[in-house]
Amino acid sequence: MRNSARALTVVTGVLSTLATSAVVLATPALANVVDTAYDAGPGLTVPQTIGIFVGIPLLIILVIYALVYGLTGRRGPRYPAGQPYTGQPEVFGDASTSADGTGDAHAETAPSEPEGGARGQW
Amino acid sequence: MGSGDDLFTAREREDIDRAVSIAEGDTDLHFSVYVGALGADSRTTATRVHAGLPDPTSSVLVAVDPGARRVEVVTGTTSHRWLDDRSCALAVLSMSTSFTANDIAGGIVNGLRTLGEHARHPRVLHLDEP
């Protein structure tokens, strides 16, 4: 009986100390809001929220997608090897200055015969 | 855009041009690429195109006829000194491999790379001229 009274006293003391310290620690939070504090104004409506946090990112993603595929995604019809090729010959390097179907005239005056090379078929 | 433009994209043309200039920078030879119809006698046509180059003796011509599935490599007197027929055959082989997969531009770039590496030689004072 005496022990239980003592325990009750201890518990009451601890609880009251905790409550007091909590109030003391939280005192700054109870201070009045100063008038110069930033006023957040009225909150966003649901359509506004969705527009800002979903619509704008979606718009950015679509713009980047369009840029990437618009610039590199040209998929024209390709010439399939093996079909008769009737287009103009494509030339690279020095050949572009002379090989335009007039090779015959040059061949007459060519100083040297081709020496070697290789050939292949696929 | 004519029918000839369908063969390569602009990017592939740049790749081939770059491969030509790299091969020419590695060696002192001139590299040319001709892609088009070579006719029934492809070797004769390729030889004629090679002879029509500005400097045939030190030029290497890679002629590809995608329609007839033929590829010819023609070397001149000087270029043959640095690029023997075995090296040309190797380049033709590597080109044909890509051509089989219908990758004309990639095959040409591979072939030019092979030719450029095989034609590379150290510059020797006084002995570099034939």
Side-chain angles (χ1 to χ4, degrees):
Chain A
M1 190 64 191
R2 197 177 160 201
N3 276 344
S4 65
R6 185 188 168 112
L8 189 66
T9 309
V10 169
V11 168
T12 313
V14 168
L15 282 180
S16 62
T17 308
L18 279 177
T20 309
S21 62
V23 169
V24 168
L25 286 173
T27 301
L30 301 177
N32 283 333
V33 176
V34 292
D35 293 336
T36 55
Y38 172 71
D39 181 11
L44 294 172
T45 63
V46 172
Q48 282 174 331
T49 311
I50 292 176
I52 289 173
F53 292 102
V54 179
I56 291 177
L58 214 61
L59 200 69
I60 293 171
I61 289 169
L62 284 177
V63 166
I64 293 173
Y65 184 90
L67 279 177
V68 168
Y69 281 85
L71 293 179
T72 65
R74 198 177 70 82
R75 299 280 183 271
R78 295 295 305 278
Y79 163 78
Q83 301 297 310
Y85 179 68
T86 54
Q88 280 292 106
E90 297 253 358
V91 286
F92 303 89
D94 285 340
S96 51
T97 58
S98 63
D100 49 359
T102 60
D104 274 322
H106 293 280
E108 307 288 337
T109 59
S112 71
E113 281 293 300
E115 193 74 12
R119 60 188 309 179
Q121 201 163 12
W122 75 92
Chain B
M1 290 279 222
S3 56
D5 288 333
D6 298 332
L7 200 53
F8 299 118
T9 62
R11 176 70 178 272
E12 288 172 336
R13 278 199 194 87
E14 282 174 23
D15 288 344
I16 295 174
D17 277 332
R18 195 176 307 125
V20 167
S21 52
I22 287 174
E24 289 184 347
D26 284 348
T27 64
D28 49 2
L29 306 175
H30 300 293
F31 287 83
S32 302
V33 179
Y34 173 96
V35 186
L38 290 173
D41 191 355
S42 56
R43 188 73 198 175
T44 307
T45 314
T47 305
R48 197 177 301 145
V49 173
H50 178 266
L53 295 174
D55 185 9
T57 49
S58 60
S59 284
V60 181
L61 175 75
V62 176
V64 182
D65 185 349
R69 293 176 180 266
R70 278 184 187 284
V71 54
E72 301 275 354
V73 176
V74 186
T75 54
T77 315
T78 309
S79 50
H80 185 254
R81 293 180 65 218
W82 307 113
L83 208 52
D84 59 0
D85 291 353
R86 283 169 60 94
S87 304
C88 294
L90 186 64
V92 164
L93 196 65
S94 84
M95 283 191 272
S96 305
T97 309
S98 296
F99 294 160
T100 309
N102 206 2
D103 183 10
I104 305 285
I108 291 171
V109 169
N110 277 343
L112 287 171
R113 201 172 290 154
T114 309
L115 290 172
E117 283 173 4
H118 281 256
R120 188 189 306 214
H121 54 274
R123 285 193 164 278
V124 182
L125 196 62
H126 305 310
L127 293 178
D128 229 16
E129 293 300 316

